[in-house]
Tab-separated table of all heavy atoms in Angstrom:
chain	number	residue	atom	x	y	z
A	1	TYR	N	138.134	-41.441	8.729
A	1	TYR	CA	138.162	-40.099	8.130
A	1	TYR	C	138.807	-39.175	9.156
A	1	TYR	O	138.136	-38.545	9.961
A	1	TYR	CB	136.737	-39.618	7.802
A	1	TYR	CG	136.020	-40.467	6.788
A	1	TYR	CD1	134.875	-41.172	7.132
A	1	TYR	CD2	136.476	-40.555	5.469
A	1	TYR	CE1	134.201	-41.947	6.202
A	1	TYR	CE2	135.810	-41.335	4.535
A	1	TYR	CZ	134.670	-42.023	4.908
A	1	TYR	OH	133.999	-42.792	3.981
A	2	ASN	N	140.140	-39.100	9.140
A	2	ASN	CA	140.862	-38.463	10.244
A	2	ASN	C	141.321	-37.031	9.965
A	2	ASN	O	141.953	-36.413	10.822
A	2	ASN	CB	142.055	-39.328	10.654
A	2	ASN	CG	143.042	-39.501	9.517
A	2	ASN	OD1	143.309	-38.573	8.761
A	2	ASN	ND2	143.604	-40.687	9.392
A	3	ASP	N	141.050	-36.481	8.774
A	3	ASP	CA	141.446	-35.111	8.429
A	3	ASP	C	142.917	-34.837	8.756
A	3	ASP	O	143.268	-33.745	9.212
A	3	ASP	CB	140.551	-34.077	9.149
A	3	ASP	CG	139.143	-34.070	8.596
A	3	ASP	OD1	138.973	-34.316	7.389
A	3	ASP	OD2	138.209	-33.818	9.385
A	4	ASN	N	143.752	-35.837	8.561
A	4	ASN	CA	145.200	-35.733	8.822
A	4	ASN	C	145.542	-35.401	10.270
A	4	ASN	O	146.627	-34.928	10.567
A	4	ASN	CB	145.866	-34.733	7.868
A	4	ASN	CG	145.849	-35.259	6.453
A	4	ASN	OD1	146.113	-36.440	6.215
A	4	ASN	ND2	145.517	-34.394	5.503
A	5	GLU	N	144.603	-35.655	11.163
A	5	GLU	CA	144.888	-35.526	12.589
A	5	GLU	C	145.627	-36.773	13.041
A	5	GLU	O	145.305	-37.874	12.596
A	5	GLU	CB	143.586	-35.398	13.397
A	5	GLU	CG	142.851	-34.100	13.191
A	5	GLU	CD	143.553	-32.934	13.847
A	5	GLU	OE1	144.062	-33.093	14.973
A	5	GLU	OE2	143.596	-31.860	13.218
A	6	PRO	N	146.612	-36.647	13.947
A	6	PRO	CA	147.313	-37.840	14.421
A	6	PRO	C	146.446	-38.659	15.379
A	6	PRO	O	145.531	-38.120	16.011
A	6	PRO	CB	148.534	-37.265	15.159
A	6	PRO	CG	148.101	-35.912	15.590
A	6	PRO	CD	147.133	-35.409	14.533
A	7	PHE	N	146.733	-39.935	15.468
A	7	PHE	CA	146.058	-40.816	16.418
A	7	PHE	C	146.410	-40.388	17.838
A	7	PHE	O	147.572	-40.144	18.150
A	7	PHE	CB	146.486	-42.268	16.183
A	7	PHE	CG	146.027	-43.218	17.246
A	7	PHE	CD1	144.680	-43.433	17.458
A	7	PHE	CD2	146.936	-43.889	18.042
A	7	PHE	CE1	144.240	-44.304	18.454
A	7	PHE	CE2	146.517	-44.773	19.026
A	7	PHE	CZ	145.156	-44.979	19.232
A	8	LYS	N	145.392	-40.298	18.702
A	8	LYS	CA	145.603	-39.914	20.101
A	8	LYS	C	145.298	-41.119	20.975
A	8	LYS	O	144.127	-41.463	21.168
A	8	LYS	CB	144.692	-38.748	20.466
A	8	LYS	CG	145.009	-37.464	19.724
A	8	LYS	CD	144.039	-36.363	20.147
A	8	LYS	CE	144.280	-35.095	19.369
A	8	LYS	NZ	143.635	-35.069	18.055
A	9	PRO	N	146.333	-41.774	21.513
A	9	PRO	CA	146.078	-42.931	22.373
A	9	PRO	C	145.357	-42.498	23.657
A	9	PRO	O	145.515	-41.379	24.119
A	9	PRO	CB	147.474	-43.471	22.682
A	9	PRO	CG	148.409	-42.368	22.375
A	9	PRO	CD	147.751	-41.468	21.379
A	10	TRP	N	144.545	-43.402	24.197
A	10	TRP	CA	143.796	-43.112	25.404
A	10	TRP	C	144.533	-43.648	26.606
A	10	TRP	O	145.384	-44.538	26.511
A	10	TRP	CB	142.391	-43.713	25.305
A	10	TRP	CG	142.410	-45.132	24.827
A	10	TRP	CD1	142.612	-46.266	25.568
A	10	TRP	CD2	142.284	-45.573	23.471
A	10	TRP	NE1	142.593	-47.368	24.763
A	10	TRP	CE2	142.397	-46.973	23.462
A	10	TRP	CE3	142.077	-44.900	22.256
A	10	TRP	CZ2	142.322	-47.717	22.309
A	10	TRP	CZ3	141.994	-45.657	21.102
A	10	TRP	CH2	142.105	-47.045	21.139
A	11	LYS	N	144.151	-43.120	27.764
A	11	LYS	CA	144.727	-43.568	29.029
A	11	LYS	C	144.391	-45.045	29.225
A	11	LYS	O	143.243	-45.450	29.044
A	11	LYS	CB	144.134	-42.719	30.157
A	11	LYS	CG	144.768	-42.951	31.501
A	11	LYS	CD	144.154	-41.998	32.507
A	11	LYS	CE	144.870	-42.035	33.784
A	11	LYS	NZ	144.749	-42.438	34.914
A	12	GLY	N	145.368	-45.851	29.571
A	12	GLY	CA	145.138	-47.268	29.842
A	12	GLY	C	145.336	-48.167	28.637
A	12	GLY	O	145.196	-49.386	28.764
A	13	LEU	N	145.650	-47.622	27.474
A	13	LEU	CA	145.801	-48.453	26.266
A	13	LEU	C	146.833	-49.560	26.480
A	13	LEU	O	146.554	-50.722	26.218
A	13	LEU	CB	146.176	-47.572	25.061
A	13	LEU	CG	146.208	-48.273	23.700
A	13	LEU	CD1	145.912	-47.265	22.588
A	13	LEU	CD2	147.521	-48.963	23.397
A	14	LYS	N	148.038	-49.195	26.978
A	14	LYS	CA	149.096	-50.209	27.153
A	14	LYS	C	148.748	-51.224	28.240
A	14	LYS	O	148.971	-52.421	28.081
A	14	LYS	CB	150.427	-49.533	27.499
A	14	LYS	CG	151.135	-48.955	26.308
A	14	LYS	CD	152.499	-48.424	26.712
A	14	LYS	CE	153.185	-47.850	25.499
A	14	LYS	NZ	154.404	-47.119	25.838
A	15	THR	N	148.208	-50.750	29.356
A	15	THR	CA	147.844	-51.650	30.451
A	15	THR	C	146.780	-52.639	30.000
A	15	THR	O	146.892	-53.845	30.240
A	15	THR	CB	147.321	-50.837	31.656
A	15	THR	OG1	148.332	-49.893	32.023
A	15	THR	CG2	147.002	-51.733	32.834
A	16	ASN	N	145.737	-52.136	29.338
A	16	ASN	CA	144.670	-53.014	28.856
A	16	ASN	C	145.190	-53.979	27.802
A	16	ASN	O	144.776	-55.143	27.764
A	16	ASN	CB	143.498	-52.194	28.325
A	16	ASN	CG	142.758	-51.487	29.439
A	16	ASN	OD1	142.858	-51.853	30.604
A	16	ASN	ND2	142.015	-50.451	29.087
A	17	PHE	N	146.097	-53.516	26.949
A	17	PHE	CA	146.708	-54.398	25.957
A	17	PHE	C	147.379	-55.589	26.649
A	17	PHE	O	147.169	-56.739	26.254
A	17	PHE	CB	147.728	-53.619	25.108
A	17	PHE	CG	148.675	-54.506	24.353
A	17	PHE	CD1	148.257	-55.210	23.224
A	17	PHE	CD2	149.991	-54.667	24.767
A	17	PHE	CE1	149.122	-56.045	22.533
A	17	PHE	CE2	150.859	-55.494	24.084
A	17	PHE	CZ	150.428	-56.189	22.957
A	18	ARG	N	148.169	-55.317	27.677
A	18	ARG	CA	148.882	-56.409	28.376
A	18	ARG	C	147.904	-57.371	29.035
A	18	ARG	O	148.078	-58.598	28.961
A	18	ARG	CB	149.860	-55.837	29.395
A	18	ARG	CG	151.093	-55.224	28.753
A	18	ARG	CD	152.196	-54.950	29.763
A	18	ARG	NE	151.845	-53.925	30.728
A	18	ARG	CZ	152.074	-52.610	30.573
A	18	ARG	NH1	152.660	-52.179	29.467
A	18	ARG	NH2	151.719	-51.756	31.501
A	19	LEU	N	146.850	-56.846	29.686
A	19	LEU	CA	145.846	-57.712	30.324
A	19	LEU	C	145.125	-58.573	29.290
A	19	LEU	O	144.949	-59.777	29.485
A	19	LEU	CB	144.824	-56.852	31.082
A	19	LEU	CG	145.300	-56.200	32.371
A	19	LEU	CD1	144.281	-55.158	32.838
A	19	LEU	CD2	145.516	-57.240	33.455
A	20	LEU	N	144.699	-57.961	28.192
A	20	LEU	CA	143.974	-58.694	27.153
A	20	LEU	C	144.864	-59.727	26.478
A	20	LEU	O	144.419	-60.828	26.157
A	20	LEU	CB	143.398	-57.715	26.127
A	20	LEU	CG	142.223	-56.869	26.646
A	20	LEU	CD1	141.998	-55.646	25.759
A	20	LEU	CD2	140.963	-57.713	26.751
A	21	LYS	N	146.118	-59.379	26.269
A	21	LYS	CA	147.061	-60.320	25.646
A	21	LYS	C	147.220	-61.572	26.519
A	21	LYS	O	147.233	-62.694	26.015
A	21	LYS	CB	148.398	-59.623	25.407
A	21	LYS	CG	149.362	-60.425	24.585
A	21	LYS	CD	150.599	-59.585	24.273
A	21	LYS	CE	151.669	-60.436	23.676
A	21	LYS	NZ	151.748	-60.334	22.238
A	22	ARG	N	147.310	-61.356	27.831
A	22	ARG	CA	147.430	-62.490	28.754
A	22	ARG	C	146.159	-63.342	28.719
A	22	ARG	O	146.226	-64.571	28.670
A	22	ARG	CB	147.735	-61.994	30.168
A	22	ARG	CG	148.101	-63.123	31.122
A	22	ARG	CD	148.649	-62.642	32.453
A	22	ARG	NE	147.616	-61.973	33.230
A	22	ARG	CZ	147.720	-60.713	33.672
A	22	ARG	NH1	148.789	-60.006	33.433
A	22	ARG	NH2	146.742	-60.177	34.377
A	23	ARG	N	144.984	-62.681	28.745
A	23	ARG	CA	143.712	-63.417	28.681
A	23	ARG	C	143.600	-64.217	27.383
A	23	ARG	O	143.115	-65.340	27.379
A	23	ARG	CB	142.526	-62.459	28.791
A	23	ARG	CG	142.325	-61.890	30.144
A	23	ARG	CD	141.694	-62.925	31.052
A	23	ARG	NE	141.357	-62.296	32.325
A	23	ARG	CZ	141.717	-62.772	33.493
A	23	ARG	NH1	142.410	-63.865	33.573
A	23	ARG	NH2	141.372	-62.156	34.600
A	24	LEU	N	144.012	-63.626	26.270
A	24	LEU	CA	143.946	-64.328	24.988
A	24	LEU	C	144.858	-65.550	25.023
A	24	LEU	O	144.465	-66.640	24.608
A	24	LEU	CB	144.334	-63.401	23.845
A	24	LEU	CG	144.404	-64.071	22.458
A	24	LEU	CD1	143.051	-64.629	22.055
A	24	LEU	CD2	144.911	-63.075	21.421
A	25	ARG	N	146.058	-65.392	25.515
A	25	ARG	CA	147.002	-66.511	25.594
A	25	ARG	C	146.399	-67.649	26.413
A	25	ARG	O	146.460	-68.814	26.034
A	25	ARG	CB	148.324	-66.030	26.188
A	25	ARG	CG	149.497	-66.956	25.958
A	25	ARG	CD	150.842	-66.349	26.318
A	25	ARG	NE	150.857	-65.726	27.621
A	25	ARG	CZ	151.125	-64.434	27.825
A	25	ARG	NH1	151.413	-63.625	26.831
A	25	ARG	NH2	151.133	-63.938	29.058
C-alpha cells in the first residue's frame, strides 16, 4: 500500500545483493 510513493532503495542494497548472489551460487 504505497500511496503512489516511489520505492526508496536503502544503503547497501547493491552490495548485499552481490554478496547474497555469490552465497546462493
